[in-house]
Amino acid sequence: MTMTSQDADPVRVLRGLEDGRASVRLRAALAVGSAPDPRFVDVLVERSAVEPEFFVRDMLTWALTRHPVSLTLARLVREVDSDRPQARSQALHTLSKIGDRRAWPAITRAVLCDADDEVARSAWRAAVVLVPEGEEPALAAVLATRLGHGDRETQRSLSRALIALDEAVVEVLDAATTAPDPHVRAHALATRRLLRDPDAGFAAAIEEAKRVVALGGRGHEGR
């Protein structure tokens, strides 16, 4: 799709992105990304904070990645401090797609431990992309504090983030297998298994880990 001069009018773009039909919003986001224009960066970020449809949000992220980092980075970093959970989550998601490590200071402990699980998951994904060389052990230590928390999808997301840090997580996972909380121990054991055997699958790994913990094991056997 190419953007005509009429389509590029900010008012028309705004109307398209706010249309009640998801298909129209999707086309508007696609049009903006196909013809990047500095005037639309704020509009894209603002719409990302409220857009209800996942596939439209994904197109908004794509459209933002099509704009120069010099125009998007600072705006997205500010959005990480928003009071709106979706705004934080989408900003973090887009930063992970842009992959510019200058955004790393925005990935604070508070963001990584956000009370909203969707925001936290986005922060974990962004963190493992943006973490500077040498900071992986410190990041692993913070992420490990979230072991055992949240629903199955949240735990799966955390395991994926930890595994992405590779050898930097071994020490914190070993420590977590002796934690007083059985949920933490099970999650740590499951993650450690996936680190050794990525094809095991999270569901199987966590169920096996729960059995080990229930039987009083620490999972050190076979390390």
Side-chain angles (χ1 to χ4, degrees):
M1 179 184 290
T2 57
M3 183 180 285
T4 67
S5 59
Q6 186 180 36
D7 291 331
D9 177 73
V11 175
R12 286 180 61 85
V13 170
L14 183 60
R15 287 175 179 168
L17 292 174
E18 293 181 342
D19 194 276
R21 296 161 292 181
S23 60
V24 174
R25 301 196 302 275
L26 183 69
R27 288 198 299 271
L30 175 61
V32 174
S34 299
D37 186 319
R39 293 176 297 173
F40 301 133
V41 169
D42 282 346
V43 172
L44 291 169
V45 173
E46 280 299 318
R47 185 63 208 175
S48 297
V50 297
E51 171 56 50
E53 297 291 342
F54 170 80
F55 62 92
V56 180
R57 293 199 301 272
D58 233 27
M59 188 64 76
L60 291 166
T61 286
W62 172 79
L64 281 163
T65 66
R66 296 272 296 161
H67 288 75
V69 175
S70 60
L71 299 176
T72 58
L73 192 68
R75 181 65 181 83
L76 289 165
V77 166
R78 289 199 302 273
E79 197 76 351
V80 173
D81 288 328
S82 172
D83 291 333
R84 298 173 293 182
Q86 184 172 306
R88 300 197 299 276
S89 177
Q90 284 302 120
L92 288 161
H93 174 66
T94 305
L95 287 170
S96 75
K97 295 299 183 182
I98 292 172
D100 192 307
R101 286 182 169 176
R102 287 176 293 179
W104 173 247
I107 312 299
T108 63
R109 187 185 186 97
V111 171
L112 292 168
C113 300
D114 198 285
D116 186 284
D117 285 344
E118 184 60 37
V119 177
R121 289 195 294 266
S122 294
W124 302 337
R125 290 191 292 268
V128 298
V129 171
L130 302 175
V131 60
E133 186 175 353
E135 293 291 328
E136 294 90 349
L139 173 59
V142 176
L143 294 181
T145 67
R146 308 308 298 161
L147 286 164
H149 295 274
D151 59 18
R152 180 65 62 88
E153 183 54 37
T154 297
Q155 292 190 9
R156 180 185 288 111
S157 294
L158 181 62
S159 290
R160 287 173 179 165
L162 286 164
I163 291 166
L165 297 175
D166 200 21
E167 291 301 313
V169 305
V170 172
E171 186 175 341
V172 294
L173 287 179
D174 285 350
T177 63
T178 64
D181 188 331
H183 300 290
V184 173
R185 294 203 304 275
H187 195 183
L189 287 170
T191 305
R192 195 170 67 182
R193 180 186 173 188
L194 291 170
L195 183 64
R196 296 194 304 258
D197 180 13
D199 296 327
F202 183 79
I206 194 69
E207 291 306 318
E208 177 186 334
K210 286 179 178 178
R211 287 194 293 272
V212 170
V213 170
L215 293 171
R218 298 288 190 177
H220 293 301
E221 301 80 18
R223 275 176 50 188

